[in-house]
Amino acid sequence: MGQDRGQDTFPAEGLTALLERAASGEDSAWSELIQIYGRRVFALARSRLRSHDAAEEVTQSVFVSIARKLTAGEYEESGRFEAWLFRVAMNRIRDEIRRRRRSMIDSNAHLPEPSHLPSPGSTDPEDFAPLRRALEELSDADREIIELRHHGQLSFRQIAAMTGEPVGTLLARHHRALRKLKGLLEKSQRENEWSLRDERA
Amino acid sequence: MNEHEHDRDPELISLEMTLNRLAEAERCAPDADFEQRLHRAVHEQVLTPAPISLESARHAVWWKDPINLAAAASVVLVGAVAVLFWRAGSPMGPTTLHSPGSVVLDVTPAQEVEQFIETVAWLQEAVPDLDALVEQAESIGSSDEALWDELEQTFSVTEESI
């Protein structure tokens, strides 16, 4: 805690050199980029979409998209690669959420709350269900900053570069989002205690 | 700049640690081949896009391509128009097209009477020996009667002999 994230993941040769190799279509460079960022993008997508398959599909689409742009020379490295990568990822995730909402409206279906669905192949050492439910109750902006920070492992400076908002604003929002999350968790805990008490009575 | 203004709040620190564990669990969720699958997708779709496979070519039916569909519709339309023109000009076919788009020449009653008179006049000139034809027809009728008389007589004779 306390250190800026993202920086410790840079390869020894430097991100710029790695991106140059990737832009020239070098397979091993793409392997490295995927190794560094693949699971971070996946975790962000999975937290938001609550579906393993959809998260992997989105992650693949993100990497294919940035590979196209990099090899076509449409990205110019200026030290903001992570911000760019996660911006592409967030856009894909938002597209997927919109697509799901549309299909729900089209089919007039009422899907169950994602948080109540069992996590496929879950090997959670601890039960994260209350935390996941609480995250889903946050506003989009609050949830986004928490997920970018913790699931995407981005620093506040990288999030600022990505969203175009001042670091101070983001820090305050993160702090506020954590407080709301804490409040939601406490509320959920209280409700659970009451229901247990009712059952016993 | 201190990015963690809530560092002094132990409850928020604890929550952040739980969030980090959740995030770690999400990052560990994919299997060991996850990176390979991502790499394969990038490799196949961007770095070395494969030429169109026979399988996909077989599934790419021509009528799903709007250009092909438009070309086929044009050929059918031109063909249909050609057939209609050919039939209109053919001695076997109708001479007038009775369709909303066709043009029919109007003939006045006076013109119709004139055409009828001309036809009768032509018939009188071309088939002048009508009386001979009538006589022949009558003779056919009388010969038939004689034949029936003959048959009746034959039957009665036969009946008697039996």
Side-chain angles (χ1 to χ4, degrees), chain A residues 13-65:
Chain A
E13 64 179 317
L15 188 60
T16 309
L18 179 62
L19 289 175
E20 276 173 16
R21 281 169 49 219
S24 69
E26 200 179 298
D27 249 345
S28 61
W30 280 103
S31 254
E32 279 182 62
L33 278 177
I34 287 166
Q35 204 70 40
I36 298 166
Y37 299 111
R39 284 174 188 261
R40 287 165 63 183
V41 172
F42 173 87
L44 186 68
R46 190 171 188 251
S47 176
R48 204 56 185 274
L49 303 172
R50 300 304 327 135
S51 155
H52 187 105
D53 291 345
E56 186 160 337
E57 211 171 292
V58 163
T59 309
Q60 274 195 13
S61 133
V62 168
F63 276 91
V64 166
S65 176

Side-chain angles (χ1 to χ4, degrees), chain B residues 72-88 97:
Chain B
S74 307
V75 168
V76 169
L77 196 65
V78 169
V81 170
V83 167
L84 286 174
F85 272 114
W86 174 77
R87 287 199 53 166
L97 298 177

Side-chain angles (χ1 to χ4, degrees), chain A residues 1 4 27 39 42-43 46 50 56 60 126 149-151 153 156 171 174-175 178-179 182, chain B residues 3-4 6 9 11-12 15-16 19-23 26-27 30-31 35 37-39 43 47:
Chain A
M1 293 287 297
D4 212 11
D27 249 345
R39 284 174 188 261
F42 173 87
R46 190 171 188 251
R50 300 304 327 135
E56 186 160 337
Q60 274 195 13
E126 56 187 300
R149 174 77 178 149
H150 298 276
H151 296 72
Q153 293 184 299
F156 285 110
L171 276 166
H174 182 247
H175 187 74
L178 284 176
R179 286 218 168 278
K182 185 169 157 272
Chain B
E3 289 196 342
H4 305 276
H6 56 264
D9 186 338
E11 284 191 353
L12 289 191
L15 179 57
E16 273 211 291
L19 276 169
N20 286 338
R21 283 201 301 277
L22 168 65
E26 303 283 33
R27 283 192 292 274
D31 58 22
E35 280 82 7
R37 286 195 296 276
L38 282 189
H39 187 255
H43 184 83
L47 303 181

